[in-house]
Amino acid sequence: MKKVKIALMGLGNVGRGVWMILNSNKEEIMKRSGYEVDVAKILVRDLEKDRYVDVPKELLTTDFNEIINDDSIKIVVEVMGGIEPAREYILESMKRKKHIVTANKMLLATGGDELFEKADSEGVMFNYEASVAGGIPIINGINESLTANKVEKLYGVINGTTNYILTKMEFDNLSFDEALYQAQEMGYAEADPTSDIEGFDSQYKLAILSSLAFGTKIKVENVYREGITKIESIDIQYAREFKKVIKLLAIVKENDGRLELRVHPTMIPQNHPLANVYDSFNAVFIKGNAVGDLMFYGRGAGDLPTGSAVVSDIVSILRSNIDIDNLNPVVKNNLWDKEIGSIRDITSKYYIRLTVEDRPGVLGEITSVFGGMNVSLLSVIQKGIDNDNENKVTLVLVTHYTKEENIVESIDSICKLNSVYKINNLIRIEEFN
Ligand code: NAP
Ligand code: HSE
């Protein structure tokens, strides 16, 4: 059996999963790849930290030079996260003809071009299956198995942490903070969970997926983003009354050659397959013009699911019999130029929750603002008085399909009414038409 030496950069949640899989599935990996994979070095920040896995201490190092200067190390696995020094270490490793596997969506989405070009120019492989949707083989699915299709739409629940939080708020009555704490304990959240809860992580992932699915370069800043921090239990309860579920949904649609790209909390019908994706599970729903509707489903975060994607990337390098002088230089994400639409141009239904003064005529004032902006209301619900203030009531409005621009301008005017205390939330409704 041939041996190959690899190095891990990072031994946190994902690094630990990679280590465990390489050990527990050693035989499967040997038979499938033709190699015995030997972890020769592991880069960490703190040599004394408890690692919760049986890693020989002598493998750990805080010195990247021990990896870069060892020519016997052929593959470097970057599971440390962040931009620097991950970017610098990957570029340096490529320069030394080491193949790369990474799970780092932030780096890929914001600086991927430089890395892809360097990989091509150095003739090394650069695999990143774990960067989107954890254990789901979505990158290979799009890159290899869907190439016969023109993708029309893609919808994804692609952040495990926020999906876990929303699930726990809905079914276990946990507060947002309690559910986030649990997601961190389970190893789902990013080192800084702001990335999860404010939607940045999904924004990076959607930029990566859309670049591949639509064969174009998507800049992160072209993906509209909102997180879930404004979602309250009451919104989840109202959603249930409307037979809907709230998900942090990543959406890309092509309309007449123009892409609409957005990540935001969304109410979706209870009977859509994406509504039944709970906990840390992720799913990506794709409509291709040949294949029709397709859904990928699985664990989107956590040590072993993510480790599964990382290790399969290692195996795929070992199975490729790569000829470093003869790499296929096709860059897969710059085949077409596409126009990117603004969020103001989208059309959607909207759920709007407001706190207003409890007196006759208030509803009329609000509905006449919407009427003036051509926004038609599908339903209006007013339930009881605010517990803290007898003069306040909660009003919930649902609109028919309307342009976002009209909603934004209506809300601007409604905010100025003396009878309106607060716009508590505005959630888009997706019906997958
Ligand atoms: P983590 O638990 O925070 O682990 C990061 C590891 O990298 C730690 O071992 C840390 O060392 C090491 N590290 C960080 N900066 C370093 C530096 N400057 N020098 C040396 N070592 C450094 O992170 P994670 O959850 O495993 O995530 C790692 C990557 O995978 C991120 O890009 C993340 O977005 C991505 N990802 C995570 C998941 C998931 O479910 N967690 C899923 C898919 C993708 P110490 O241990 O010594 O501090
Ligand atoms: N923090 C990420 C999530 C990890 O919760 O989905 C997987 O990319």
Side-chain angles (χ1 to χ4, degrees), residues 105 158-161 188-190 196 201 205 300-301:
K105 53 265 164 146
I158 49 178
N159 182 269
T161 301
Y188 304 150
E190 295 302 301
D196 298 292
D201 182 78
K205 290 167 174 169

Side-chain angles (χ1 to χ4, degrees), residues 7-10 42-45 61-69 73 75-102 104 107 114-115 118 122 124 126:
L8 302 186
M9 297 199 294
I42 305 178
L43 184 70
V44 292
R45 279 179 297 214
T61 177
T62 54
D63 183 4
F64 174 62
N65 289 315
E66 289 190 26
I67 294 175
I68 199 73
N69 292 330
I73 292 175
I75 299 173
V76 172
V77 177
E78 186 273 308
V79 283
M80 52 201 277
I83 303 294
E84 294 294 356
R87 173 186 155 276
E88 181 200 334
Y89 292 174
I90 289 176
L91 288 170
E92 274 301 305
S93 303
M94 287 176 173
K95 221 157 108 185
R96 302 291 188 97
K97 306 292 180 201
K98 299 182 195 302
H99 305 293
I100 302 293
V101 174
T102 183
N104 193 333
L107 178 58
E114 181 188 25
L115 303 176
K118 186 74 175 164
E122 298 292 348
V124 295
F126 181 45

Side-chain angles (χ1 to χ4, degrees), residues 116-260:
F116 287 114
E117 280 159 24
K118 186 74 175 164
D120 266 353
S121 70
E122 298 292 348
V124 295
M125 288 186 75
F126 181 45
N127 287 356
Y128 52 97
E129 182 60 73
S131 64
V132 182
I136 304 176
I138 185 67
I139 300 287
N140 272 315
I142 292 177
N143 255 349
E144 305 298 335
S145 309
L146 288 177
T147 46
N149 282 263
K150 191 170 151 60
V151 174
E152 294 168 355
K153 293 172 181 174
L154 181 153
Y155 303 91
V157 174
I158 49 178
N159 182 269
T161 301
T162 46
N163 206 38
Y164 184 86
I165 293 172
L166 292 172
T167 304
K168 293 291 162 192
M169 285 173 72
E170 177 163 9
F171 294 106
D172 296 350
N173 282 327
L174 289 197
S175 70
F176 187 100
D177 289 342
E178 286 165 336
L180 171 59
Y181 177 76
Q182 283 191 3
Q184 289 176 292
E185 288 293 293
M186 310 278 262
Y188 304 150
E190 295 302 301
D192 176 358
T194 310
S195 187
D196 298 292
I197 62 179
E198 292 297 358
F200 293 100
D201 182 78
S202 295
Q203 185 189 35
Y204 301 142
K205 290 167 174 169
L206 186 62
I208 296 168
L209 284 185
S210 322
S211 298
L212 299 173
F214 291 87
T216 192
K217 279 186 189 169
I218 302 293
K219 291 192 181 138
V220 170
E221 55 271 25
N222 285 334
V223 179
Y224 175 81
R225 174 196 56 80
E226 275 176 35
I228 63 161
T229 45
K230 278 165 69 184
I231 301 291
E232 294 177 38
S233 299
I234 189 170
D235 298 311
I236 295 172
Q237 284 165 30
Y238 277 114
R240 194 179 288 153
E241 275 188 41
F242 303 136
K243 299 205 175 336
K244 303 268 194 286
V245 174
I246 300 176
K247 295 286 174 196
L248 181 64
L249 200 66
I251 303 173
V252 52
K253 300 180 188 178
E254 178 159 11
N255 305 309
D256 303 324
R258 176 191 276 212
L259 294 182
E260 117 185 9

Side-chain angles (χ1 to χ4, degrees), residues 376-392:
S376 163
L377 296 177
L378 184 65
S379 72
V380 178
I381 299 177
Q382 180 188 322
K383 275 195 190 163
I385 48 167
D386 190 303
N387 285 337
D388 303 328
N389 187 334
E390 288 190 359
N391 197 31
K392 290 180 181 174

